């Protein structure tokens, strides 16, 4: 079960369920947000899927005044909610939109389950997540696993 976050925030930000026409956008925003960090870590970028095969179940499109600016994907497990993806288009980063989305997820999480996510060790987003109340639960050479209780 994936939590739903449909309401718009005060700054015009809205999350809506991803639909088939969003597949290309989901792949694009993943690439523009992650390619640099993947290359820094592994020396290359490999797309995880194609437009035809991308699984958008659990994905929501982040819109600002009806314009897609990012996506988020979550999965609910018995003991926690996993944030699988949180991508904000580079043109809209560092404006508080990612923090607003995290607050919406935090407010909507069922039974106050902990939030968990992972971030590549080469990705400076680690500082953002720590600032937003996550702590490092585990670290390996490729990823930090973060937790927010």
């Amino acid at each position: 079960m994936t939590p739903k976050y449909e309401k718009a925030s005060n700054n015009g930000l809205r999350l809506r369920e991803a639909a088939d026409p969003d597949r290309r956008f989901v792949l694009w925003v993943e690439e523009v947000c992650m390619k640099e960090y993947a290359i820094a870590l592994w020396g290359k970028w490999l797309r995880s899927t194609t437009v035809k095969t991308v699984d958008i179940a659990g994905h929501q499109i982040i819109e600002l005044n009806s314009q897609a600016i990012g996506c988020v994907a979550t999965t609910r497990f018995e003991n926690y909610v996993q944030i699988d993806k949180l991508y904000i288009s580079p043109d809209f980063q560092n404006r508080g939109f990612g923090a607003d989305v995290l607050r919406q997820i935090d407010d909507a999480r069922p039974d106050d389950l902990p939030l968990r996510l992972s971030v590549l060790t080469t990705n400076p987003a680690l500082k953002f997540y720590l600032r937003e109340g996550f702590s490092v639960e585990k670290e390996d050479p490729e990823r930090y696993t973060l937790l927010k209780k």
Side-chain angles (χ1 to χ4, degrees):
M1 177 180 163
T2 302
K4 307 292 182 216
Y5 321 101
E6 290 289 336
K7 70 176 189 174
S9 66
N10 292 337
N11 63 4
L13 201 66
R14 177 178 171 266
L15 281 75
R16 65 164 174 80
E17 290 297 319
D20 280 341
D22 297 312
R23 291 171 181 273
R24 188 171 308 282
F25 175 77
V26 168
L27 286 180
W28 173 81
V29 76
E30 178 179 52
E31 184 170 340
V32 298
C33 290
M34 295 304 297
K35 184 176 183 176
E36 173 184 349
Y37 310 121
I39 291 172
L41 186 61
W42 299 302
K44 61 184 173 183
W45 169 255
L46 295 175
R47 272 196 174 167
S48 59
T49 188
T50 67
V51 171
K52 289 182 180 180
T53 61
V54 63
D55 181 5
I56 57 171
H59 283 66
Q60 295 195 321
I61 302 301
I62 303 164
E63 292 184 335
L64 178 63
N65 301 321
S66 300
Q67 176 187 354
I69 66 164
C71 75
V72 61
T74 59
T75 305
R76 180 181 174 173
F77 293 94
E78 185 177 333
N79 298 321
Y80 64 95
V81 174
Q82 176 75 32
I83 300 173
D84 301 308
K85 296 177 184 175
L86 174 54
Y87 303 137
I88 304 289
S89 171
D91 291 343
F92 295 91
Q93 290 177 2
N94 300 310
R95 296 189 195 178
F97 299 128
D100 192 43
V101 171
L102 281 178
R103 276 190 292 280
Q104 288 187 48
I105 293 169
D106 201 11
D107 290 346
R109 63 181 157 150
D111 304 319
D112 290 327
L113 292 175
L115 298 175
R116 183 172 274 136
L117 60 86
S118 70
V119 62
L120 295 180
T121 56
T122 53
N123 189 337
L126 174 65
K127 292 177 187 174
F128 162 73
Y129 291 117
L130 294 174
R131 191 173 60 243
E132 293 301 319
F134 285 82
S135 59
V136 176
E137 180 181 40
K138 184 173 76 170
E139 179 181 350
D140 65 41
E142 293 184 351
R143 298 178 189 278
Y144 297 101
T145 301
L146 305 175
L147 181 69
K148 182 175 184 182
K149 294 183 179 183

